[in-house]
Amino acid sequence: MTTSTLVRVCAVDDLVPDRGAAALVPDDGRTEQVALFRLASGEVFVVQQLDPFSGAHVMARGLVGSRLCDGVEVPTVAAPIYKQVFDLRTGACLDTADTSPTHGDGILRCWPVTIADGDVLVAVPDSGGTP
Amino acid sequence: MESKHLVVVGGGMVGHRLVEAVRARDEQGAWRVTMFADEPRRPYDRVALTSYFAAGPESLQLGDPALWEDPLVRARTRCAVTSIDLQERTVLDDTGAMTSYDELVLATGSYAAVPPIPGADLPGVFVYRTIDDVAAIRGWVEDAAQRRSGGRRATQVRGAVIGGGLLGLEAAGALQALGVQATVVQFGTHLMDAQIDLGGGMALGRLVRSRGVAVRTSTATAAMRPRRGEQRVGRLEFADGTRLDVDVVVLATGVRPRDELARAAGLAVGERGGVLVDDACRTGVPGVWAVGEVAAAAPDGGRPVGLVAPGYAMAEVVADRLLGGAATYPGADTATKLKLSGVDVASFGDAFARTPDAMEVVWADPVAGVYKKVVLADDARTLLGGVFVGDAGAYSALRPMVGAQLPGDPSAFLLPEGGGAPELELPDAATVCSCNNVSAGTIRGAVTEHDCHDLGAVKACTRAGTSCGSCLPLVKRLVGTELSRLGITVSTALCEHFALSRAQLYEAVRLSRLATFSEIIERFGTRASGRGCDICRPVLASILATTSPRHVLDGDRATLQDTNDHVMANIQKDGSYSVVPRMPGGEVTPEQLIAVGEVARDFGLYTKITGGQRVDLFGARLDQLPAIWERLVAAGLESGHAYGKALRTVKSCVGSTWCRFGVQDSVGLAVELELRYRGLRSPHKLKLGVSGCARECAEARGKDVGVIATDKGWNVYVAGNGGFTPRHAQLLAEDLDRDRLIQVIDRFLLYYVRTADKLQRTAAWLEEVEGGIDFVRDVVLEDSLGICAELDAEMDRHAATYVDEWRATLEDPEKLRNFLPFVNAPGTADPSFAYIPVRGQVRPATPEERLVAGATGVRP
Ligand code: SRM
Ligand SMILES: Cc1cc2nc3c(=O)[nH]c(=O)nc-3n(C[C@H](O)[C@H](O)[C@H](O)COP(=O)(O)OP(=O)(O)OC[C@H]3O[C@@H](n4cnc5c(N)ncnc54)[C@H](O)[C@@H]3O)c2cc1C
Ligand code: SF4
Ligand code: FES
């Protein structure tokens, strides 16, 4: 079983509602770029900053939105470079815009998030190395 | 199997259609085709010849050019056939080569008749038939204009068109568009006397005069004389002793079939000329056919017909016969509609009521310049024909009804705006497009059976509407009716969050005065829970920028902006940004250029001159943008909006201040326009251009708005672009002074901003505006919608309240938070970039290069 540690990234109020921001989190001994999104509803999502369809570290600059999938309102982000749309909850690509990913399987990695005392805490998996 | 050889003499519209039809049907490759054409180019759209003046020769392309790449097709342009040997089955051409054929088709068309008037051979007298003719007319008129502007008093070039038929009126319109003061000289009692009756002709005369073209009817031209001491035409003398001074003359007195080859070979010709053929287009000699204007077909009474549609029908018949079919040519439908812009004239069927006992129902409004007539059989119901002048709205619906009974009172079709005329349900067999012989049934079938769900698809599938275009309104209506029958509504919804189109949403926002996204989606959205998406959010940001202007990053406005607008720079493939300062009209001071160079050097930015006459600096990190702009703003530069769906650049040529040919200060105007419209958010990007003379070095006609200097002011062209589907801009208004010019552009731009779809540039928008350029001209010049005062005020407000986005951002710490690299590491630079040296600068490393040493995050 993998364990994880909650890392404070920023205050919720450092994030602009319905827009993204980039952050650095420790990950398996390296530092990883992540994209944080705070929705107007208060929810916060964290996904990889690397855009799987362009290889650029830009997901945080994508447009936040929503899309109805099987009757459910899904929070989304559109990749800034080639405009693929992703489900912020799962990282799944809802709309590949007819292209294939250049990095990985085209699904955004997601990090669990907790909000406590106005802070955004991201769960990063523990590993052998030191963060 | 060895292919048989088909030789086609004549590379005109009908010859082209024949080759096309043979290649489309001949799946086995039974025929190889050689076409001889004495013009120096492949077949082109002669019917659209007049658009050469407005849009150049490219606009005359006919069909798919791939036809000429077909290995079974050979086109010999600039090569005339000089004789035919019917015994040996060979043709001789003017290079001296002999070509043998299995079957021979004559498609040599007509030549323009030159009347036996003394002086008709003087330089400056032209016919109007080929691209070479119209190119020569334009050149002559331009030279004449140059001569006239050189004199003590600059005066307008004067021209006469001899012949007041369809072609003559078209030529007069073309001369007028070239700036010529034109007079039509007509021998008969009224204009277009071959097609319309006297009443219609009088109404037409008034209309044509009101467009600024002079008309002289019942006038015979006795002679054309040179100007004193010169070799070019200078004066017309009429039989009644009067005269007219002219610089240019166009003869439009009819056409004669080019049947000389056939005569010399001994083929039978008709009494009015033309090669006699039967209803299969066969001459008396086996293996020899004739089609198009050179053919005098039995079903047409052995007389040639000067229209393209019958020629196309003949070409299809011959193609069918060559491949073993038994098609016959039914004879011509001589319906005509004038293409002259702004003058509606149409006639069809038995326009002169020559059928025994025919009845005429006439409606005339001399004040409005309208004359309409339908001709009915003695049952007072069966439609035989009609004439429309001044308002041809009912033409396309009525023409296919010839021979059928009209529902209800026939006069209902003549009242203004259709006055309650019943909707016509066309029988499937009715011909809708006579140019291409497409029936209503075929159009319906394209929608229901071939899944063509818009006008473009139906046109491509059936060819309806692809020639003269006069049937398009009807085709559009048929397609619409069929689609709604199938339960298909063509959705104009913006996205899943808004059922409105962009134009509807614009009006809704403007009238409700709502100014925040949450209010707007709550009031007009499909569901309140949505937060919008990457489609509707930027669209609303753009709409709000005009309806309630604020800084792009103010309040909730910031969250709506597209990626690029949000940081006021263009994202590049590696996630870095480009920086483009505005250089209005392409003008830049040496100091500013030095400042740009220093910024580029100090930040290690790749530098290049753009296609928009300014400098682009590439490879800036997000967090570097404020520091870069701090320096640029200090040097007096401002945002160039290269990132926005907004005004980009106003391209200029150097103009009269330096250029020896310039007639106006094009740079000065370009700078003024760029400063007036900078920051204007629009459905798509906007580009303008200003040229200082007709040489057009600023390529203004490739822009959304292009302005070209004239001796008297400025001509303004609209709805051009380069890019994926290049289009030339169309003339909107002529010889405007500076104030009127700016007013016209203000109105044009804001009307576009209000009504276009998202990401629709002006050209695509104009194609969809019902009524096209004429309608838009009425809106912006005549205020036909009564909105001009509003538009004028809106643009004045825009220009007066403009603030540079970058300067305002630098002054506001709250806005600068957008540029932090990482929320939890504001001092850390994004380490993901890697660059490779190239020609003294850098470029992003490729994925492969990133794996090897040498690519670094640090720029040299
Ligand atoms: C930089 C530049 C190329 C250059 O190195 O010269 C350029 C670069 C881009 N062009 Fe362009 N275009 C540039 C001049 C042009 C021109 C030439 C001109 O303006 O005279 C054209 C054809 C003229 C026209 O627009 O009608 C042109 C037609 C396009 C099109 C096709 C538009 C169309 O209607 O089909 C696109 C795609 C689009 O906008 O959807 C495009 C899009 C782009 C984008 C925005 C693609 C993108 O989304 O990244 C490029 C952004 C580069 C950047 O970051 O600055 N660019 N682009 C030129 C910038 C001009 C400027 O100073 O603002
Ligand atoms: C300005 C203008 C507007 C018009 N508007 C309309 C309209 O609105 N509606 C309409 O129906 N019609 C219109 N027409 C008429 C229409 O263009 C003709 O009916 C049509 O082009 C006839 O086609 P064709 O192929 O028979 O002849 P053409 O198009 O004349 O082609 C014949 C070709 O054969 C070439 N040729 C001749 N002899 C030889 C030879 N010995 N060797 C090699 N080549 C030879 C000629 O140079 C020519 O290129 C218009 C014509 C003009 C000029
Ligand atoms: S032509 Fe294509 S590659 Fe070149 S700048 Fe324009 S969009 Fe980019
Ligand atoms: S009638 Fe000319 S294109 Fe249809």
Side-chain angles (χ1 to χ4, degrees):
Chain A
M1 177 190 139
T2 49
T3 55
S4 59
T5 307
L6 286 179
V7 176
R8 178 188 182 274
V9 176
C10 60
V12 177
D13 285 342
D14 290 337
L15 302 174
V16 181
D18 283 346
R19 237 26 263 198
L24 296 173
V25 297
D27 183 65
D28 199 14
R30 295 179 304 112
T31 301
E32 183 72 32
Q33 291 198 32
V34 294
L36 279 67
F37 296 94
R38 173 186 172 189
L39 306 188
S41 60
E43 283 170 288
V44 175
F45 295 97
V46 178
V47 299
Q48 74 190 45
Q49 170 74 333
L50 178 76
D51 168 5
F53 289 83
S54 71
H57 287 75
V58 293
M59 287 310 299
R61 301 174 216 161
L63 251 70
V64 173
S66 69
R67 183 180 281 203
L68 213 53
C69 294
D70 302 324
V72 181
E73 190 89 30
V74 172
T76 59
V77 62
I81 299 209
Y82 301 123
K83 311 292 178 192
Q84 294 83 4
V85 176
F86 297 88
D87 183 340
L88 277 176
R89 305 164 314 170
T90 61
C93 188
L94 301 175
D95 182 353
T96 61
D98 291 332
T99 49
S100 4
T102 53
H103 289 70
D105 54 8
I107 299 172
L108 298 180
R109 179 176 165 195
C110 302
W111 279 258
V113 190
T114 313
I115 310 279
D117 291 337
D119 283 337
V120 179
L121 309 176
V122 175
V124 300
D126 295 329
S127 63
T130 37
Chain B
M1 182 189 67
E2 178 75 356
S3 298
K4 287 195 282 181
H5 192 201
L6 171 67
V7 167
V8 180
V9 185
M13 297 182 74
V14 174
H16 173 259
R17 171 58 66 89
L18 175 68
V19 177
E20 234 181 21
V22 168
R23 288 306 302 133
R25 295 171 193 223
D26 179 15
E27 283 155 17
Q28 315 301 322
W31 292 97
R32 71 195 161 84
V33 191
T34 302
M35 165 185 275
F36 288 88
D38 65 354
E39 289 191 63
R41 49 183 65 82
R42 287 170 182 167
Y44 54 89
D45 188 352
R46 198 179 305 287
V47 169
L49 191 61
T50 301
S51 62
Y52 173 88
F53 294 109
E58 317 80 54
S59 62
L60 301 179
Q61 182 183 309
L62 200 57
D64 184 350
L67 179 68
W68 307 109
E69 312 299 325
D70 187 327
L72 288 178
V73 175
R74 191 149 165 247
R76 312 249 344 241
T77 50
R78 248 185 245 279
C79 184
V81 169
T82 51
S83 67
I84 306 170
D85 187 331
L86 295 172
Q87 254 65 53
E88 297 299 318
R89 293 200 168 217
T90 55
V91 297
L92 187 66
D93 65 47
D94 59 2
T95 68
M98 185 106 84
T99 306
S100 54
Y101 61 80
D102 294 301
E103 301 278 331
L104 177 71
V105 181
L106 298 174
T108 48
S110 308
Y111 61 87
V114 178
I117 303 174
D121 54 351
L122 282 171
V125 181
F126 297 91
V127 295
Y128 199 78
R129 178 79 193 174
T130 65
I131 288 188
D132 288 344
D133 293 336
V134 292
I137 293 173
R138 161 182 272 184
W140 184 269
V141 167
E142 280 169 357
D143 288 348
Q146 204 87 40
R147 282 197 298 273
R148 289 204 160 263
S149 63
R152 260 174 303 134
R153 267 183 322 123
T155 45
Q156 214 179 345
V157 178
R158 292 155 310 177
V161 176
I162 303 193
L166 199 60
L167 191 61
L169 289 176
E170 210 175 303
L175 283 183
Q176 202 189 22
L178 290 176
V180 176
Q181 184 189 326
T183 302
V184 175
V185 181
Q186 163 73 325
F187 181 71
T189 53
H190 60 276
L191 296 175
M192 284 182 72
D193 53 0
Q195 291 91 6
I196 62 179
D197 60 358
L198 183 62
M202 302 306 258
L204 177 58
R206 280 190 294 274
L207 272 177
V208 169
R209 286 190 184 97
S210 75
R211 307 276 304 179
V213 173
V215 178
R216 297 182 57 142
T217 53
S218 304
T219 302
T221 308
M224 304 179 205
R225 302 282 182 218
R227 194 175 298 267
R228 196 188 307 274
E230 289 180 8
Q231 267 309 300
R232 52 175 186 266
V233 70
R235 193 172 73 219
L236 295 185
E237 291 176 3
F238 302 116
D240 63 4
T242 58
R243 298 165 163 194
L244 182 70
D245 286 343
V246 289
D247 301 295
V248 58
V249 175
V250 177
L251 302 173
T253 49
V255 296
R256 302 278 176 276
R258 285 184 69 169
D259 55 14
E260 62 277 5
L261 275 179
R263 284 178 195 264
L267 293 168
V269 294
E271 61 193 47
R272 298 200 188 175
V275 182
L276 283 174
V277 293
D278 64 8
D279 66 356
C281 301
R282 290 176 294 217
T283 65
V285 175
V288 182
W289 316 67
V291 293
E293 278 191 1
V294 76
D300 293 324
R303 274 188 292 263
V305 181
L307 293 171
V308 74
Y312 279 176
M314 293 183 206
E316 298 283 351
V317 167
V318 173
D320 183 72
R321 293 264 172 172
L322 287 174
L323 293 162
T328 55
Y329 167 67
D333 168 3
T334 54
T336 42
K337 187 168 184 226
L338 187 59
K339 301 185 296 287
L340 200 61
S341 89
V343 180
D344 265 353
V345 189
S347 83
F348 63 96
D350 182 11
F352 292 91
R354 295 203 171 107
T355 310
D357 298 326
M359 304 168 45
E360 296 172 277
V361 183
V362 177
W363 193 88
D365 177 352
V367 181
V370 176
Y371 175 90
K372 301 190 241 187
K373 178 176 90 172
V374 288
V375 180
L376 303 168
D378 54 4
D379 63 356
R381 296 289 299 274
T382 305
L383 182 68
L384 296 178
V387 175
F388 294 88
V389 176
D391 169 12
Y395 166 76
S396 65
L398 284 177
R399 188 186 65 184
M401 298 296 289
V402 170
Q405 291 206 335
L406 292 180
D409 178 0
S411 59
F413 292 97
L414 301 182
L415 295 176
E417 300 297 326
E423 277 282 297
L424 293 177
E425 176 72 18
L426 285 181
D428 270 348
T431 304
V432 170
C433 174
S434 62
C435 286
N436 297 291
N437 194 18
V438 185
S439 67
T442 308
I443 290 167
R444 293 187 175 117
V447 179
T448 53
E449 281 148 42
H450 299 280
D451 292 335
C452 301
H453 289 171
D454 58 49
L455 188 61
V458 171
K459 280 170 74 177
C461 171
T462 63
R463 281 196 161 146
T466 54
S467 301
C468 75
S470 66
C471 58
L472 276 177
L474 186 56
V475 177
K476 196 169 168 188
R477 218 185 68 207
L478 280 169
V479 172
T481 314
E482 250 7 72
L483 283 176
S484 56
R485 241 179 232 155
L486 290 176
I488 299 172
T489 41
V490 187
S491 172
T492 55
L494 194 58
C495 64
E496 65 173 69
H497 303 100
F498 289 93
L500 307 177
S501 70
R502 182 192 169 280
Q504 290 167 331
L505 189 58
Y506 189 102
E507 281 309 286
V509 171
R510 188 173 73 86
L511 297 172
S512 67
R513 295 168 195 261
L514 296 180
T516 65
F517 183 78
S518 39
E519 289 169 316
I520 293 169
I521 195 163
E522 191 171 317
R523 175 100 167 257
F524 301 114
T526 50
R527 50 180 197 275
S529 61
R531 65 177 55 82
C533 62
D534 58 316
I535 297 170
C536 58
R537 292 168 73 90
V539 163
L540 273 162
S542 161
I543 292 175
L544 288 169
T546 314
T547 57
S548 46
R550 282 173 68 183
H551 190 278
V552 276
L553 300 182
D554 265 355
D556 92 329
R557 207 58 65 89
T559 69
L560 304 180
Q561 304 297 345
D562 214 337
T563 308
N564 286 348
D565 294 83
H566 190 239
V567 297
M568 298 172 293
N570 275 29
I571 198 161
Q572 303 299 313
K573 61 195 293 183
D574 63 346
S576 69
Y577 287 89
S578 72
V579 171
V580 188
R582 185 169 300 291
M583 295 180 179
E587 196 178 68
V588 58
T589 65
E591 295 312 319
Q592 290 174 336
L593 206 49
I594 289 167
V596 168
E598 284 175 348
V599 166
R601 183 194 57 209
D602 296 351
F603 288 86
L605 305 175
Y606 168 84
T607 307
K608 123 171 239 311
I609 308 291
T610 74
Q613 295 190 330
R614 47 192 188 171
V615 182
D616 203 338
L617 313 175
F618 292 86
R621 292 193 319 261
L622 180 69
D623 58 292
Q624 292 176 314
L625 291 171
I628 290 172
W629 275 105
E630 196 83 57
R631 300 260 304 262
L632 294 173
V633 167
L637 292 153
E638 60 172 31
S639 167
H641 295 103
Y643 45 83
K645 300 295 174 229
L647 177 78
R648 294 283 170 86
T649 60
V650 181
K651 183 171 179 174
S652 76
C653 74
V654 63
S656 62
T657 45
W658 290 93
C659 173
R660 62 206 159 115
F661 295 120
V663 294
Q664 308 277 356
D665 176 11
S666 46
V667 179
L669 182 72
V671 171
E672 187 179 356
L673 294 178
E674 186 154 344
L675 296 182
R676 182 166 180 82
Y677 303 123
R678 64 186 161 178
L680 182 72
R681 287 330 208 249
S682 47
H684 206 314
K685 59 187 168 199
L686 282 171
K687 299 180 178 182
L688 278 62
V690 183
S691 281
C693 83
R695 288 171 188 74
E696 245 286 71
C697 299
E699 301 174 306
R701 293 205 39 218
K703 303 295 176 205
D704 297 280
V705 176
V707 180
I708 303 178
T710 70
D711 301 345
K712 280 169 267 152
W714 305 96
N715 286 353
V716 55
Y717 296 81
V718 294
N721 57 236
F724 188 66
T725 313
R727 294 145 168 125
H728 270 116
Q730 303 178 40
L731 184 65
L732 183 70
E734 287 178 284
D735 294 327
L736 304 178
D737 62 24
R738 178 244 167 235
D739 291 354
R740 178 67 165 160
L741 174 74
I742 288 186
Q743 187 182 55
V744 165
I745 302 178
D746 283 0
R747 293 171 178 180
F748 173 78
L749 290 178
L750 280 177
Y751 187 55
Y752 160 70
V753 167
R754 280 193 179 186
T755 57
D757 202 357
K758 62 169 194 304
L759 295 184
Q760 189 177 42
R761 284 191 75 177
T762 51
W765 165 76
L766 187 60
E767 272 167 22
E768 281 189 9
V769 170
E770 196 114 11
I773 182 97
D774 292 331
F775 181 81
V776 172
R777 189 179 291 123
D778 285 348
V779 172
V780 304
L781 297 179
E782 317 292 345
D783 196 11
S784 59
L785 299 181
I787 56 173
C788 285
E790 247 172 58
L791 300 182
D792 295 347
E794 213 163 271
M795 194 64 94
D796 284 341
R797 181 182 65 177
H798 167 82
T801 57
Y802 177 77
V803 182
D804 173 28
E805 285 164 9
W806 261 110
R807 175 188 288 273
T809 302
L810 295 174
E811 286 163 0
D812 183 351
E814 198 43 43
K815 296 191 170 85
L816 289 173
R817 294 208 323 172
N818 275 350
F819 301 91
L820 293 183
F822 300 106
V823 274
N824 59 348
T828 307
D830 181 348
S832 66
F833 298 107
Y835 292 92
I836 300 282
V838 59
R839 297 180 294 276
Q841 305 198 62
V842 293
R843 63 161 171 81
T846 63
E848 299 73 41
E849 286 165 341
R850 283 169 170 273
L851 299 176
V852 301
T856 74
V858 188
R859 279 180 292 258

